[in-house]
Amino acid sequence: MAALTRRSFLTGPLLAAGAATLPVPGHTAAPIAGTQGPGVYRYQLGDHQLTALYDGTWYLPIDDKFVRNASGASVNEALAAAFLAPGVLPISFTALLVNTGAKLVLIDTGTAGQIADSAGFMNANLAAAGISPSAIDIILISHFHPDHIDGIKTKDGDKVFANAEILVPEPELTFWMDDGNMSRTAGTVHRYFLNARRIFKDIVKEVRPFKPGAEVAPGIVSVPAFGHTPGHTAFAIHSGNQSILAMSDTAREPWLFVRHPEWQPSYDMDGPLAVKTRIAMLDRAAADRMLVEAYHFPFPACGHITKTGGGYELVPAMWQPL
Ligand SMILES: [Zn+2]
């Protein structure tokens, strides 16, 4: 008997049924769609309703220096293990909306089309979820990198969420608004300083800084997760006897930094501290079998973490119909 090769598998009897699907006379073929359906995913946490709002994906070309303590070849191997192309990192963005019953709380705000053409859809998806930006009561910011704060304003500088109180981690506000810190930076980080000023300078009096560890909204407690940035913050959300840990950028793209938590991407400002924070949080999530959510996990950006031989693995949540 002939061996089943890849080609015979793809063209052989398994697909013979497909070959019988001949065009029906007079039937018009469906047009090829150019877009996806809405990127909205709702799930329940006790009495809270959570809504994952997809903003899009940025395909970032990366070089050998992208991970400080791993070679470009090792990074490409990790991408290949996830069936991804070498030299390009898909960075997915998903904001999390929490409806506590009394308040609508948005955690981070999307890219507002200011980072890549293939992202910036959060507000369209908010509309698809039936919610107006003016209905948001509280915005929680995890840290001041542009992909998390750009959605606060339009490109023209108008506030997007007219009635929202904006809460930010105090050490993050202190660090990024300090002119001395800015003067000591160059390149990308310097641009982040300028961007933080563009977003916050004229509304800084309206922004409420919180101490890491403080309860920031009903049932939402901030969790210090320093390293990615000086004031980077995660959020633990509780309702009834259920909880979820919104990890923000603690673990980032799972194929690289959940599987290889010791790797230090160049965007972690304090690499060794970020690794320590990352491993502590992933370990806790795995040990406690916690439901987790993270801004750069693939949509709908929630699931569980298991421990493996050398690192951890994200087990994505199954899409539930109701
Ligand atoms: Zn980010």
Side-chain angles (χ1 to χ4, degrees), residues 165-251:
E165 188 181 19
I166 301 173
L167 276 70
V168 303
E170 190 177 61
E172 200 63 7
L173 185 68
T174 306
F175 176 80
W176 292 103
M177 301 313 271
D178 184 287
D179 290 338
N181 287 341
M182 183 164 83
S183 72
R184 288 186 286 276
T185 60
T188 305
V189 177
H190 193 76
R191 285 203 303 279
Y192 292 171
F193 272 96
L194 295 174
N195 190 60
R197 279 159 176 69
R198 177 179 74 87
I199 298 292
F200 287 115
K201 199 146 193 191
D202 64 333
I203 59 166
V204 79
K205 285 203 171 65
E206 303 164 42
V207 168
R208 185 149 68 87
F210 61 83
K211 293 245 188 290
E215 181 167 31
V216 285
I220 306 182
V221 178
S222 62
V223 179
F226 305 157
H228 179 65
T229 63
H232 178 261
T233 297
F235 299 96
I237 307 165
H238 309 279
S239 179
N241 61 359
Q242 293 190 297
S243 51
I244 184 170
L245 180 62
M247 299 200 298
S248 308
D249 278 14
T250 306

Side-chain angles (χ1 to χ4, degrees), residues 91 93 143 145 147-148 228 249 252 295-296:
I91 302 179
F93 309 103
H143 65 296
H145 278 167
D147 50 321
H148 299 257
H228 179 65
D249 278 14
R252 303 257 342 184
Y295 197 71
H296 298 295

